[in-house]
């Protein structure tokens, strides 16, 4: 579609598309997040010649509840930052405190319902994050066509435009 629109080079597409490997996004493979996170912790600690740190249960819970629009690379970067910032043995990944634009999203794809972390949460920020994530997902799915994205979310186009303005999308 982007090639037809003149927004993506056709020769580059064929260079990149030698052997397509379909890989579902990380948000659809939440069961992989704990193992990937542990792998990245060990890898980064070894590279930086640090004692191997451990993720707390709460940190794993937060990681599993996040949408990961940047997929595995974003998870790796988040773990790298947590390792760099934490002086103790336990990593307490706090996505909201570290990056206000990060949005925690319920694990809707695997049947888990969201739960409140033991240290509490900002409900309004969480709900806003879920809304924003759904809007961005609908826009991505619709190829940026706002009318279609509104239809996917089953909201009026006028309401959808209001949400775009509200979240500065």
């Amino acid at each position: 579609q982007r090639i037809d629109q003149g927004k993506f080079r056709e020769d580059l597409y064929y260079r990149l598309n030698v052997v397509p490997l379909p890989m579902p996004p990380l948000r659809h493979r939440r069961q992989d997040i704990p193992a990937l996170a542990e792998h990245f912790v060990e890898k980064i600690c070894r590279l930086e010649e640090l004692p191997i740190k451990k993720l707390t249960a709460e940190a794993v819970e937060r990681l599993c509840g996040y949408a990961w629009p940047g997929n595995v690379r974003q998870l790796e970067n988040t773990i790298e930052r947590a390792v760099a910032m934490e002086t103790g043995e336990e990593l307490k990944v706090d996505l909201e405190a570290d990056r206000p634009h990060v949005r925690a999203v319920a694990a809707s794809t695997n049947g888990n319902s969201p739960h409140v972390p033991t240290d509490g949460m900002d409900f309004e920020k969480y709900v806003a994050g879920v809304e924003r994530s759904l809007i961005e997902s609908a826009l991505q799915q619709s190829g940026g066509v706002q009318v279609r994205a509104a239809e996917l979310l089953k909201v009026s186009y006028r309401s959808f435009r209001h949400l775009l303005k509200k979240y500065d999308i």
Side-chain angles (χ1 to χ4, degrees):
Q1 184 180 14
R2 298 228 183 242
I3 292 170
D4 292 341
Q5 296 170 350
K7 295 181 178 180
F8 195 86
R9 289 182 16 212
E10 189 171 6
D11 65 306
L12 181 57
Y13 170 79
Y14 288 111
R15 180 174 287 259
L16 296 172
N17 196 29
V18 176
V19 180
L21 297 173
M23 177 66 69
L26 190 55
R27 68 181 168 276
H28 295 304
R29 299 179 292 124
R30 292 185 190 279
Q31 71 279 7
D32 294 346
I33 292 172
L36 285 168
E38 289 294 334
H39 166 74
F40 292 137
V41 168
E42 289 180 23
K43 173 184 165 186
I44 293 160
C45 287
R46 281 196 175 92
L47 282 172
E48 299 299 325
E49 298 178 358
L50 297 168
I52 305 294
K53 299 178 184 224
K54 294 289 178 199
L55 287 163
T56 64
E58 286 178 32
V60 172
E61 184 178 315
R62 284 190 179 120
L63 293 171
C64 289
Y66 179 62
W68 299 110
N71 283 311
V72 177
R73 284 193 182 119
Q74 184 184 10
L75 173 63
E76 183 175 14
N77 290 343
T78 299
I79 296 297
E80 186 171 5
R81 184 176 50 261
V83 169
M85 301 303 285
E86 183 59 54
T87 56
E89 292 179 10
E90 290 187 337
L91 295 176
K92 302 170 189 162
V93 178
D94 187 358
L95 296 168
E96 288 293 326
D98 289 344
R99 299 180 325 198
H101 67 279
V102 171
R103 297 161 315 273
V105 175
S108 59
T109 57
N110 64 3
N112 293 340
S113 49
H115 44 280
V116 178
T118 56
D119 62 343
M121 67 185 293
D122 185 326
F123 178 77
E124 289 178 7
K125 271 189 183 177
Y126 181 85
V127 171
V130 171
E131 275 188 330
R132 182 182 179 101
S133 181
L134 289 170
I135 291 164
E136 289 174 346
S137 178
L139 281 168
Q140 184 179 13
Q141 222 175 322
S142 70
V145 178
Q146 294 177 4
V147 172
R148 178 67 185 127
E151 290 170 356
L152 287 170
L153 294 173
K154 299 188 185 332
V155 298
S156 71
Y157 179 67
R158 184 175 175 175
S159 295
F160 187 77
R161 294 285 299 162
H162 171 75
L163 290 169
L164 290 176
K165 187 174 182 179
K166 177 181 176 181
Y167 295 114
D168 195 29
I169 298 174

